[in-house]
Amino acid sequence: LMDDFTRAFGRSSSGRFYPALQEAIGVDSAFEGWGPRAEGAVYRVFVPLSAPAGHALHLELDTGATMPGRNVRVRVELECTCGREQLGNKSVLCFLHHSKEELSRKQEPSLLDTLCTGPYLDVEKTARWLHRWVRADWLLLPLSYHWHLMLMLCSRSCKMQLSKGQESLVVEVLFGVHKGDSDVFVGSQPTGVHLVPSTAGHETYAVAEANFCRHVARQAPQESWHCKCLRLLTCIATGTGFSTYALKTVVMHFLNTSPLSRWSRRDSLQRMVDILDYLRCSLHKKRLEHFVLGNQRLPGDIGLPPDLQRVEPPNLFQHLARDPDAHREATRDY
């Protein structure tokens, strides 16, 4: 579906200065193999954006934000393309060295004039642009002959429901900008924090975690039960104060520090006991370390910028250390 959308977008956006869409990356539970497979599954795909011709994207950290998940702004700057014109490429006039009058007559507006607020890429404007693009290009896709599309209102992503008879699925398209050549991105997904400026993205490690899950899938024996264990744990924890992400973090720590041969079906009950014991100890210490940030034991094929490798791993249970009532409630839930 996303490959078809990307090809259609490439055709319809020719000559316009919108971000280029890169190959989509499946993230979160449905693609990592432990999410629900029945109705209700949400397929989250992350689409990296790259700068259109004549533009450059630069990341600026919001120094007032705290980790994990730092707020980062994407500054859009115009680049000189006069060299291309001198080589005979007249398809893009230089935004810096042609008059505004000539540019307005001969060329589409720059990214700064369409999806930015000031010099920064606006997440909400970009999400609305993706909604409009999906609605406009849907009928060009082969799937449109068999599936019905309904777009769902969301300010920082493009969310759609596809249905065919009794079958339905939800796809949420998140977008963001690559941080160097690492598996870290500045993404658009909601943070749960209110009043986040529309020009602020959020440093996301979802792609790094999805790549770790794929790494484990390649290395683990075919009969490994690690995904089934995590799926069962998240079902058990429904209605408690333990987030799905906290349970996933515990399991990832175990997968990264124990032999994958120990996750067979016959060992699954013991692994469940081990996971719950790890959770109990973390609850007692009021500390659960972030899996990606500051983890010196990540597999070599998981790319992490040097500055994030050296940080002190953030504590996902920091709220329990600050709030005795929350800690007591979590203990009861456990």
Side-chain angles (χ1 to χ4, degrees), residues 224-237:
S224 177
W225 269 50
H226 63 277
C227 287
K228 294 182 177 68
C229 286
L230 180 52
R231 189 180 307 142
L232 177 58
L233 280 168
T234 55
C235 290
I236 293 172

Side-chain angles (χ1 to χ4, degrees), residues 109-130:
S110 74
L111 181 57
L112 284 168
D113 295 325
T114 54
L115 300 183
C116 291
T117 297
Y120 298 107
L121 187 68
D122 191 299
V123 174
E124 295 181 8
K125 289 181 181 179
T126 305
R128 289 195 294 271
W129 161 69
L130 281 172

Side-chain angles (χ1 to χ4, degrees), residues 186-259:
V186 175
S188 66
Q189 69 269 40
T191 64
V193 178
H194 298 298
L195 302 178
V196 174
S198 63
T199 53
H202 199 59
E203 199 171 67
T204 174
Y205 319 105
V207 172
E209 292 169 358
N211 286 340
F212 173 75
C213 291
R214 294 184 181 100
H215 168 86
V216 170
R218 290 192 300 268
Q219 302 293 326
Q222 188 173 359
E223 72 278 5
S224 177
W225 269 50
H226 63 277
C227 287
K228 294 182 177 68
C229 286
L230 180 52
R231 189 180 307 142
L232 177 58
L233 280 168
T234 55
C235 290
I236 293 172
T238 300
T240 73
F242 293 107
S243 68
T244 298
Y245 188 71
L247 297 174
K248 174 188 170 184
T249 298
V250 171
V251 172
M252 287 192 297
H253 278 302
F254 260 99
L255 289 167
N256 199 38
T257 55
S258 62

Side-chain angles (χ1 to χ4, degrees), residues 17 51-55 79-94 98:
F17 298 94
H55 298 72
E79 288 189 327
C80 178
T81 57
C82 292
R84 298 185 189 183
E85 295 181 47
Q86 292 171 1
L87 292 174
N89 184 353
K90 303 293 186 180
S91 59
V92 179
L93 299 179
C94 180
H98 284 272

Side-chain angles (χ1 to χ4, degrees), residues 37-90:
R37 294 180 182 175
E39 188 169 343
V42 177
Y43 293 86
R44 290 188 175 88
V45 292
F46 192 89
V47 178
L49 306 179
S50 58
H55 298 72
L57 305 179
H58 302 282
L59 303 182
E60 292 185 359
L61 178 65
D62 181 355
T63 55
T66 57
M67 294 187 297
R70 302 177 293 182
N71 286 342
V72 181
R73 296 186 295 182
V74 180
R75 175 185 284 275
V76 177
E77 294 183 355
L78 298 176
E79 288 189 327
C80 178
T81 57
C82 292
R84 298 185 189 183
E85 295 181 47
Q86 292 171 1
L87 292 174
N89 184 353
K90 303 293 186 180

Side-chain angles (χ1 to χ4, degrees), residues 129-176:
W129 161 69
L130 281 172
H131 271 84
R132 292 194 299 270
W133 159 61
V134 167
R135 183 182 292 111
D137 282 0
W138 169 246
L139 293 179
L140 302 177
L141 272 59
L143 262 67
S144 66
Y145 296 108
H146 308 287
W147 290 80
H148 171 71
L149 171 72
M150 183 177 72
L151 288 170
M152 307 165 73
L153 186 62
C154 190
S155 64
R156 296 178 71 90
S157 66
C158 179
K159 206 168 186 178
M160 53 187 125
Q161 182 175 40
L162 299 172
S163 57
K164 179 177 64 173
Q166 299 299 313
E167 190 176 359
S168 70
L169 59 93
V170 173
V171 179
E172 184 173 20
V173 182
L174 306 166
F175 54 89

